[in-house]
């Protein structure tokens, strides 16, 4: 028969008092010596150990406190349902590498409204305008942070224009931060290094974009992007595998409104001809474009060389040359 809860609590209190004073504790009417030095914790049955609400670990039989003064990592407030928990929560947005301060500083909203959504007076509007101006000034303490702020905003702008996911922006921001830390920016334009970092991030995340596509949304020429990319990838030790032409096929076929059959046939052509060594030293975008052109002819969904060239941003001569090589390797006569 178990004892009432009040009696058990009373016994525990007496046991603790005896433990602190080194006296004898009484449990179930019997006197038990409770000396922490004489008790081996490893010999205690884990089933007899109980964790209390205040974080203490006690032994049920003797009332011996095994662990105490546990740090409570939870909030200091109480909530009894989900809505209360949401109202009392003070968690902010997660940190991000795409902002120079990682999103930890305060941002003043551009809307001239109060907490209730009402318009504020003209005096308050001028005051908020001054606060926003000073907020922008104090967010960057030196030239390095201003450099980083401008570069990350450029990366964000170009990534939005290219339609790449957020993971690519995060990787590009990390690459640019590493380049800035290693002092690789000196003597080069901020836009050039930022664009090269974005191009490297696209390749690293398996979402390839050609240099032509990158240069279209950048303020830097294609030649400078390629030169800067090669420099930072070598200095930072970025291990970049050659781009697989098959990664371009779904996007190009989608823009050309070609069927799944053409896409599958183009992948087959790329795999077969790459095994014979035709891909070595060739542009992956031109190679993919030629395979799509050949597949469209074989599947009776013909597209002109000009249409394919415009989507892939390569010349018609490139498609013509790669196409001849591929059909000869496949044993297909035009």
């Amino acid at each position: 028969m178990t004892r009432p809860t009040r009696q058990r609590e009373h016994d525990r209190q007496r046991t603790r008092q005896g433990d602190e004073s080194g006296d004898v504790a009484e449990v179930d009417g019997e006197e038990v010596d409770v000396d922490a030095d004489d008790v081996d914790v490893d010999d205690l049955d884990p089933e007899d150990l109980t964790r209390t609400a205040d974080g203490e670990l006690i032994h049920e039989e003797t009332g011996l406190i095994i662990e105490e003064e546990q740090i409570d990592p939870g909030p200091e407030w109480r909530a009894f349902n989900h809505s209360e928990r949401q109202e009392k929560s003070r968690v902010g947005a997660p940190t991000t590498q795409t902002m120079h301060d990682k999103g930890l500083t305060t941002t003043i909203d551009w809307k001239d409204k109060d907490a209730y959504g009402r318009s504020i007076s003209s005096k308050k509007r001028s005051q908020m305008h001054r606060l926003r101006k000073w907020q922008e000034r104090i967010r960057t303490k030196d030239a390095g942070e201003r450099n980083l702020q401008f570069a990350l905003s450029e990366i964000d702008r170009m990534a939005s224009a290219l339609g790449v996911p957020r993971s690519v922006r995060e990787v590009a921001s990390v690459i640019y931060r590493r380049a800035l830390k290693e002092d690789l920016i000196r003597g080069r334009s901020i836009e050039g290094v930022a664009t090269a970092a974005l191009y490297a991030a696209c390749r690293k995340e398996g979402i390839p974009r050609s240099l032509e596509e990158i240069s279209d949304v950048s303020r830097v020429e294609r030649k400078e992007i390629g030169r800067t990319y090669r420099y930072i990838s070598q200095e930072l030790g970025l291990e970049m595998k050659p781009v697989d032409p098959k990664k371009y096929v779904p996007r190009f076929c989608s823009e050309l409104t070609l069927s799944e059959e053409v896409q599958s046939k183009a992948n087959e052509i790329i795999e077969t001809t790459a095994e014979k060594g035709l891909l070595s030293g060739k542009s992956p975008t031109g190679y993919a474009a030629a395979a799509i052109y050949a597949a469209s002819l074989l599947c009776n969904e013909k597209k002109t060389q000009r249409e394919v060239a415009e989507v892939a941003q390569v010349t018609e001569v490139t498609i013509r040359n790669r196409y001849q090589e591929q059909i000869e390797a496949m044993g297909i006569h035009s």
Side-chain angles (χ1 to χ4, degrees), residues 50-58 65-74:
T50 305
R51 179 75 67 180
T52 62
D54 56 0
E56 292 182 344
L57 185 65
I58 65 172
I65 302 174
I66 310 299
E67 295 179 7
E68 60 181 339
E69 298 181 357
Q70 296 291 318
I71 298 175
D72 185 9

Side-chain angles (χ1 to χ4, degrees), residues 34-47:
V34 182
D35 191 350
D37 296 332
D38 296 337
V39 177
D40 190 356
V41 178
D42 296 333
D43 295 338
L44 299 177
D45 188 356
E47 295 183 356

